[in-house]
Amino acid sequence: MRATLLATPDLSRKLAAEFLGTAALVCTVIGSGIMADALSSDDAVSLLGNTMATAAMLFVLISLLGPISGAHFNPAVSLVFTLLRQLSPGLALVYTAAQVSGGLVGTLAAHAMFDLPLFEISSKARQGSSQSFSELVASFGLIVTILGGLRMRPQAVPAFVALYITAAYWFTASTSFANPAVAIARAFTDTFAGIRPSDVPAFILAELVGAGLAMLLAGWLFAPKDAA
């Protein structure tokens, strides 16, 4: 089968891609968490199922929607590209709105599929310095992976991100949210993937700090030859 060239994406297509991509990502995170938790009483098995589904969906979404919007699905990623002057502040703002609203719709969709109340507030505590530091590390690694991948092997970025998130689910104490829009959406599900609303601000702050530090390191580490 031969690929078809896409029309140059306009703003509406870009926002639709960011909205749908974030909605699908959050729906996968929450829905697979509900399914895994229902099928097993072993948290490790549940986390494994949650990990595999999320990584697979990330690969699909980035591969399909990347040519349209860049497949950020994450306000921290949009912020980094704004600071790198590859995204205008105005576009970053509307991207963030699309990502947050998409994440909330993804939560509603997951609840509807599993016959849960559409609106819930999470009671799952994820607090403390270890959790915040985990999110800093998770976000740092994600941004380095994206920027390094774009510099070294752009076509492999979907695989790089999916594989990184697979690993980060397991090596971080927070299970690697690494995404402010996802953190907000997960505050509205009292399921396996939830997070208490009171814990969300610390997660978001850590994610943004990690992203900023990663941007600085990647700018030096992956500098083009003429900048060395």
Side-chain angles (χ1 to χ4, degrees), residues 73-109:
F73 316 140
N74 185 334
V77 173
S78 297
L79 174 63
V80 165
F81 281 99
T82 302
L83 295 174
L84 292 174
R85 299 183 179 180
Q86 296 180 26
L87 194 70
S88 71
L91 188 54
L93 186 61
V94 291
Y95 264 33
T96 298
Q99 292 154 2
V100 172
S101 58
L104 294 174
V105 169
T107 300
L108 295 175

Side-chain angles (χ1 to χ4, degrees), residues 6-19 65-70 87 91 94-95 98:
L6 297 176
T8 301
D10 56 17
L11 179 59
S12 62
R13 287 186 176 87
K14 290 179 179 179
L15 294 182
E18 287 299 304
F19 177 90
L65 300 179
I68 299 174
S69 69
L87 194 70
L91 188 54
V94 291
Y95 264 33

